Amino acid sequence: MGKFVAAIGIVLSVIFGSHPGFSQGAASSEAARKAELAAAWQAAGNAGTAGPADIPLIDQAKLKIPTGDFFVPKAEGARVMRALGNVVHEATFVGLVLGTRQNDRWLVVINYIKEGYIKDDAAKDWNADDLLKNLKEGVEESNKDRLARGFPEMEVIGWIEPPQYDAVSHRLVWSVLGKDKGAPDNVEKDVNYNTYALGREGYFSLNLLSDSSRIATDKGAAHELLANLSYQSGKRYEDFSASTDRIAEYGLLALVGGVAAKKLGLFAVLLAFVLKFAKAIIFGLAVAGAGVAKFFRRKPRGDSAGGTA
């Protein structure tokens, strides 16, 4: 982990030299922001759980996190997110998972949206080109909000992975490549890798944040977490009762950047996650230094043995 922190320091020098979000502002406010970010990571390390461990996700499910992963619960995860400048939707936010292995630079944001049973019958008829067009239009609309909040406009380039839905496990995966509008095509691009697990009363969203140079490797972590999420008996998708249960106002198509994202205000928020987290998670670990690294290396609570690799 010492080498990891040293490597983060090198990346940090690049961030401060090139990223406007980290290079502007008065020295006093910058110092205060750094102090809060360090404190937020310290609190996350104290409150979190290192894998291998079983993590209860509210009253809905259980998530098995493997060795090398670290779960940060809602309150502390929200503090980290706010310290990085992100909006937190208290009603949906559940927690964070991050990798602590030497080469890990990814973060997964977990939300649970209790909007009712999501009908999945449209999956067999969707068209990837139409969905991409819809996404691009949605991002253009969200750019109004980004400009108002001081973020650069973004644009969607194309699919990293077009929508794939498993009707047996009721899991959805999709990802697009995006960049700051007007940025050169050869710059490293931020990536949201979106995975969903449908349940009886709503769905979990596990959004992995990475970049274009690492996503081919990092997406394995997202798939592993998605496979390791299991709903409680009675909360599973197949437990749905048409006579008693609420049906969501939108179907599966809406989860690919459509109605649901617009309704929940998630477009601007998720794209802000990419801007803030893909580089700033490295910043967070760097300013917190070995103290946080120590917490991320500790053994999980309870009787489970082991720690990070």
Side-chain angles (χ1 to χ4, degrees):
M1 181 62 89
K3 293 180 180 178
F4 179 38
V5 174
I8 289 171
I10 295 172
V11 177
L12 178 60
S13 65
V14 176
I15 293 171
F16 275 112
S18 62
H19 199 285
F22 298 121
S23 61
Q24 297 177 350
S28 59
S29 60
E30 181 68 8
R33 188 181 68 82
K34 288 182 182 179
E36 169 55 21
L37 187 51
W41 280 114
Q42 186 82 8
N46 279 321
T49 302
D54 290 345
I55 306 297
L57 299 181
I58 51 178
D59 63 343
Q60 292 289 323
K62 175 180 67 177
L63 179 65
K64 288 183 175 291
I65 58 170
T67 298
D69 288 6
F70 191 87
F71 175 81
V72 181
K74 179 174 182 174
E76 292 75 18
R79 184 179 180 183
V80 168
M81 289 169 62
R82 291 190 181 100
L84 293 171
N86 287 287
V87 176
V88 177
H89 289 260
E90 292 285 349
T92 64
F93 180 68
V94 175
L96 308 173
V97 178
L98 63 152
T100 65
R101 304 162 192 84
Q102 184 173 357
N103 295 317
D104 283 344
R105 302 289 190 277
W106 56 265
L107 177 70
V108 170
V109 181
I110 303 176
N111 284 276
Y112 179 71
I113 295 83
K114 194 173 184 177
E115 292 265 311
Y117 178 83
I118 305 290
K119 289 186 175 181
D120 64 356
D121 49 352
K124 62 181 181 296
D125 298 321
W126 62 24
N127 180 283
D129 291 338
D130 291 342
L131 292 174
L132 185 63
K133 181 175 181 290
N134 185 49
L135 269 172
K136 289 181 176 181
E137 292 173 352
V139 170
E140 283 299 317
E141 182 65 26
S142 77
N143 277 333
K144 299 175 184 177
D145 178 76
R146 294 182 63 79
L147 286 173
R149 295 198 293 134
F151 294 132
E153 293 182 277
M154 295 194 73
E155 60 180 314
V156 172
I157 300 170
W159 294 115
I160 291 175
E161 191 165 320
Q164 298 180 40
Y165 179 68
D166 187 329
V168 176
S169 65
H170 311 292
R171 283 357 186 213
L172 170 67
V173 177
W174 63 272
S175 180
V176 290
L177 191 64
K179 67 172 184 175
D180 288 350
K181 184 175 285 188
D185 290 336
N186 61 349
V187 300
E188 186 177 272
K189 301 172 182 66
D190 297 319
V191 172
N192 274 26
Y193 194 84
N194 307 283
T195 70
Y196 305 83
L198 305 189
R200 178 179 182 176
E201 300 171 341
Y203 60 94
F204 279 98
S205 166
L206 286 75
N207 182 26
L208 180 136
L209 311 177
S210 181
D211 62 56
S212 54
S213 68
R214 305 182 61 88
I215 188 60
T217 300
D218 288 352
K219 69 180 184 179
H223 281 273
E224 183 175 21
L225 288 173
L226 186 65
N228 287 349
L229 188 153
S230 58
Y231 279 93
Q232 298 175 10
S233 178
K235 303 290 187 179
R236 299 168 301 178
Y237 193 82
E238 54 267 31
D239 294 326
F240 171 73
S241 172
S243 62
T244 60
D245 293 347
R246 176 189 177 190
I247 298 176
E249 296 177 0
Y250 48 83
L252 192 65
L253 282 172
L255 302 191
V256 188
V259 177
K262 294 174 184 177
K263 177 180 178 181
L264 297 170
L266 294 180
F267 259 134
V269 174
L270 291 181
L271 291 175
F273 282 164
V274 168
L275 175 67
K276 291 289 185 177
F277 272 120
K279 299 181 181 69
I281 181 177
I282 299 174
F283 166 71
L285 289 173
V287 296
V292 170
K294 177 185 67 177
F295 285 110
F296 287 171
R297 283 288 186 176
R298 67 190 176 87
K299 293 182 179 181
R301 297 174 182 175
D303 297 329
S304 298
T308 56

